[in-house]
Amino acid sequence: MAARDRKIRQCIKSAEVSKLGGLHLANKEMKVMMQGAFVLTAASFVAKILSAIYRVPYQNLAGDEGFYVYQQVYPIYGLAMTLALSGLPQFISKYVAEKPTLSQQKKVLAELFPLISSIGLVLWAGTFFFSNEIARWMGDSQLSPLVRVVAFTFLLMPVLATSRGEFQGKLLMTPTAISQVIEQVIRVTVILFSAWALQRFGWSVYQAGTVAMSGAVFGGLAAIIVLVYYQKKILGTGFSRPLKKIQQPQLFRRLVVEGGLMTIYSGFLILFQLVDSFTIKKALVAHGLTEQGAKIAKGVYDRGQPLVQLGLVIALALSASFLPILTRYLNDRELFVKNSQIFLRLTSGVAAAASVGLALLLPLVNYGLFKDQAGNGTLTVFVLAIFLMALIQAHQSIAQSQNRNHAPLVAAGSGLAVKAATTTLFTRQWGTLGASLATIFSLFVTLVVLQRASEKSIQQYRKGHFTFKLLACLMGMSVVIFSYYGVLHFTIGDIKHRSQALLLAIIGVGLGGSGFILLAIRLKLLTLREWLLLPFGAKILRINWKKEGK
């Protein structure tokens, strides 16, 4: 025990990450990478908190029908945001990281910009001019003004994507993080104004939804201003993308295949939401609900989207920061495999705890945020998507860093095909619960295809009984939360106020999370150095070491 304590103390004090499993790793680059992950995690967390905050008053003021109206069109904005924030920037960062000199980096950016601009223009035109048809396909022709407004976000996408990709390729995550937060602050402000105006001026839910969607345009413009500022401050130049003739014929193919694949996976749940927008409301009517009832039920089902997005924050930030490093170590086989295994272990542990914990606390969270417990069963199943989606994203990032595109493409196509085939069928049979089951089943199919195509050496991240240890940690966390529910039942009884439910949910998160972390340390779910790679990992180990020393 004394030797173990000395080892823990030494690791905590030195915070060394220069050796992983006996392998020499570039300490400076790893620290920069993890700092980048922390910056993106913090920014994404703030953005998702803002996202949850605006959804609460919007749903409370506009009702589930108003929430349905907004969420029907949201996937179109989500697709543009994915292109501008994660999908294309990840591809660009990877492409920039491959170029050793500054002049080569500038050259590829100049070649990429006109290609990405063409994509943005085509998407804008298709969405704007076919807005009436899109609304009808969604089963609600009154949605067309919202579609036309959100189409303009595609015109902002090229500048946002190339600027963020350039910074991330140089491991500069702060500009992306700051621009993301500013973008969401402006967007949420406009959305909250529309919710207030709905009550103040008696707007219809469709009028309020149209104004709310305009927040995406204003937020995107603000983000561009922030990125241009950082271009001048850090790189010493303003935003300049001369239109150069493409010198590399394979560039367009790489952009479509690799960039498109990254976009698909970065916005995988957004694509699932898009399928939902075109299927669930109509399927609910076929299930037996009235038009009004179907809109309200779809609005209740959509409550799960922000919860899942919030749970995925850390996993997606890890993906964005690991990708350039994995690309650089592609030629060092042993080091690449070791880093990939670390990536998968960290992702599995964090995502499993978030997914199961949120599912167990869902009744309190649902009531606290959305003023009733409608759809508890549907949402409990839905939030399990956090774990599946996090692992899918991690496997895809590893495959992408190896330039392996076929298997991820097959996996994504399989998942989307299953989603499209099962959503209407399951929803007609079991209502919104069926829609949640279709999502989980489709994600499971995607993950299975990816894992089967993954290298056996990388899949050994589960060695050392990792899966059994993780299950034990989750069981321990579940016992803590169920015990907490038992105490609440005998001391408080029925919960009658939303604020009380929300406070109790926060306490439950703290208790469940603490139980998971303590068991993870005791069972050695992660190595000491893997703990140190996590934000606040050193502090967690230090607190535990002090307790053991008593």
Side-chain angles (χ1 to χ4, degrees):
M1 179 64 72
R4 179 173 177 267
D5 286 345
R6 284 196 300 270
K7 185 178 180 182
I8 294 175
R9 186 185 305 176
Q10 181 181 4
C11 288
I12 292 173
K13 287 182 177 180
S14 64
E16 287 185 352
V17 291
S18 59
K19 293 183 179 180
L20 296 172
L23 299 173
H24 292 282
L25 184 64
N27 183 42
K28 184 176 180 181
E29 285 194 340
M30 178 59 92
K31 290 178 69 175
V32 170
M33 178 196 72
M34 296 313 300
Q35 289 171 357
F38 179 73
V39 169
L40 284 182
T41 297
S44 297
F45 186 76
V46 171
K48 298 306 179 186
I49 288 293
L50 290 172
S51 183
I53 288 175
Y54 88 73
R55 279 176 164 88
V56 172
Y58 197 87
Q59 185 270 347
N60 292 172
L61 292 172
D64 288 319
E65 182 184 2
F67 197 50
Y68 145 83
V69 169
Y70 179 83
Q71 285 293 128
Q72 282 290 93
V73 180
Y74 173 83
I76 300 176
Y77 159 72
L79 178 60
M81 180 182 66
T82 300
L83 288 167
L85 182 61
S86 51
L88 291 181
Q90 281 189 34
F91 166 75
I92 295 169
S93 70
K94 175 176 178 289
Y95 199 57
V96 168
E98 294 173 356
K99 307 303 177 184
T101 67
L102 183 62
S103 61
Q104 289 177 321
Q105 292 175 358
K106 290 182 177 180
K107 179 181 178 182
V108 298
L109 287 169
E111 292 176 341
L112 279 168
F113 185 70
L115 292 176
I116 297 175
S117 296
S118 299
I119 293 172
L121 186 62
V122 169
L123 290 173
W124 167 79
T127 306
F128 184 85
F129 292 110
F130 291 93
S131 59
N132 291 332
E133 288 74 11
I134 292 173
R136 283 198 296 269
W137 293 336
M138 289 181 176
D140 191 344
S141 60
Q142 296 183 81
L143 295 172
S144 58
L146 285 80
V147 176
R148 285 194 293 272
V149 168
V150 79
F152 285 95
T153 55
F154 289 114
L155 295 180
L156 306 178
M157 177 269 294
V159 176
L160 293 171
T162 53
S163 297
R164 286 165 171 163
E166 180 180 9
F167 283 120
Q168 290 173 211
K170 298 174 181 177
L171 299 182
L172 300 172
M173 305 299 177
T174 299
T176 294
I178 298 298
S179 68
Q180 180 185 6
V181 172
I182 295 298
E183 180 179 1
Q184 291 302 312
V185 167
I186 300 298
R187 175 172 165 262
V188 168
T189 300
V190 175
I191 290 172
L192 293 179
F193 168 78
S194 71
W196 171 81
L198 183 147
Q199 293 288 316
R200 179 67 176 81
F201 303 118
W203 288 359
S204 70
V205 291
Y206 294 95
Q207 289 174 315
T210 302
V211 174
M213 279 298 166
S214 70
V217 179
F218 292 113
L221 290 171
I224 289 176
I225 294 174
V226 171
L227 290 168
V228 170
Y229 165 77
Y230 276 107
Q231 287 274 352
K232 294 181 179 179
K233 180 180 179 181
I234 298 178
L235 304 180
T237 60
F239 181 83
S240 177
R241 296 285 184 265
L243 301 181
K244 294 188 64 175
K245 183 179 179 180
I246 300 176
Q247 301 297 325
Q248 304 179 50
Q250 72 273 23
L251 179 57
F252 180 74
R253 180 181 180 278
R254 286 195 63 179
L255 175 63
V256 172
V257 176
E258 296 182 38
L261 195 57
M262 287 182 178
T263 300
I264 287 174
Y265 277 100
S266 298
F268 206 44
L269 286 179
I270 298 294
L271 294 175
F272 274 37
Q273 290 181 55
L274 196 60
V275 173
D276 290 339
S277 294
F278 288 107
T279 56
I280 289 181
K281 187 258 182 180
K282 293 184 287 187
L284 287 172
V285 173
H287 179 64
L289 299 182
T290 63
E291 286 283 332
Q292 185 74 6
K295 293 178 181 180
I296 293 174
K298 174 61 165 52
V300 172
Y301 168 83
D302 283 331
R303 297 178 186 182
Q305 301 294 345
L307 300 178
V308 170
Q309 291 171 1
L310 186 61
L312 284 170
V313 166
I314 294 179
L316 297 183
L318 285 173
S319 295
S321 293
F322 258 96
L323 187 58
I325 295 297
L326 291 176
T327 300
R328 292 188 182 187
Y329 292 130
L330 186 58
N331 294 326
D332 190 329
R333 173 68 182 171
E334 194 173 3
L335 191 54
F336 179 87
V337 170
K338 189 67 177 180
N339 276 281
S340 298
Q341 291 175 345
I342 292 172
F343 183 20
L344 290 172
R345 275 196 295 272
L346 293 176
T347 300
S348 298
V350 171
S355 188
V356 175
L358 184 55
L360 293 175
L361 293 169
L362 195 281
L364 291 175
V365 174
N366 193 21
Y367 181 41
L369 292 179
F370 300 108
K371 71 183 179 182
D372 59 40
Q373 296 194 25
N376 273 350
T378 295
L379 298 176
T380 298
V381 172
F382 191 86
V383 297
L384 297 178
I386 295 172
F387 175 70
L388 295 172
M389 190 61 217
L391 275 182
I392 288 170
Q393 183 68 39
H395 277 90
Q396 187 274 334
S397 294
I398 293 171
Q400 202 71 35
S401 66
Q402 297 174 294
N403 295 316
R404 295 174 59 243
N405 301 317
H406 179 71
L409 187 60
V410 171
S414 300
L416 286 170
V418 171
K419 172 65 176 174
T422 59
T423 300
T424 296
L425 179 64
F426 287 8
T427 305
R428 286 182 175 181
Q429 185 69 30
W430 299 298
T432 52
L433 176 61
S436 290
L437 290 171
T439 293
I440 298 301
F441 180 56
S442 303
L443 291 175
F444 178 75
V445 169
T446 304
L447 180 58
V448 168
V449 175
L450 277 173
Q451 286 185 332
R452 285 183 175 274
S454 180
E455 298 179 39
K456 291 183 179 180
S457 58
I458 293 176
Q459 288 304 312
Q460 289 178 2
Y461 76 93
R462 291 171 290 191
K463 64 184 179 181
H465 305 292
F466 176 82
T467 301
F468 292 105
K469 291 178 181 179
L470 179 58
L471 289 174
C473 293
L474 294 175
M475 290 178 63
M477 180 181 68
S478 300
V479 170
V480 170
I481 293 177
F482 281 124
S483 300
Y484 175 60
Y485 273 126
V487 172
L488 293 181
H489 176 73
F490 286 107
T491 58
I492 298 178
D494 295 334
I495 299 173
K496 300 179 180 179
H497 303 287
R498 293 175 57 194
S499 57
Q500 183 184 31
L502 194 56
L503 177 60
L504 293 174
I506 294 173
I507 295 174
V509 170
L511 292 173
S514 298
F516 181 88
I517 290 172
L518 288 175
L519 276 173
I521 293 174
R522 294 293 189 276
L523 297 177
K524 298 181 181 179
L525 180 68
L526 303 175
T527 67
L528 293 176
R529 289 183 175 85
E530 286 168 358
W531 277 108
L532 293 173
L533 291 176
L534 289 173
F536 308 112
K539 292 183 179 180
I540 292 172
L541 289 176
R542 185 181 294 113
I543 292 172
N544 180 72
W545 173 73
K546 288 181 179 179
K547 287 182 178 180
E548 286 186 342
K550 290 183 179 180

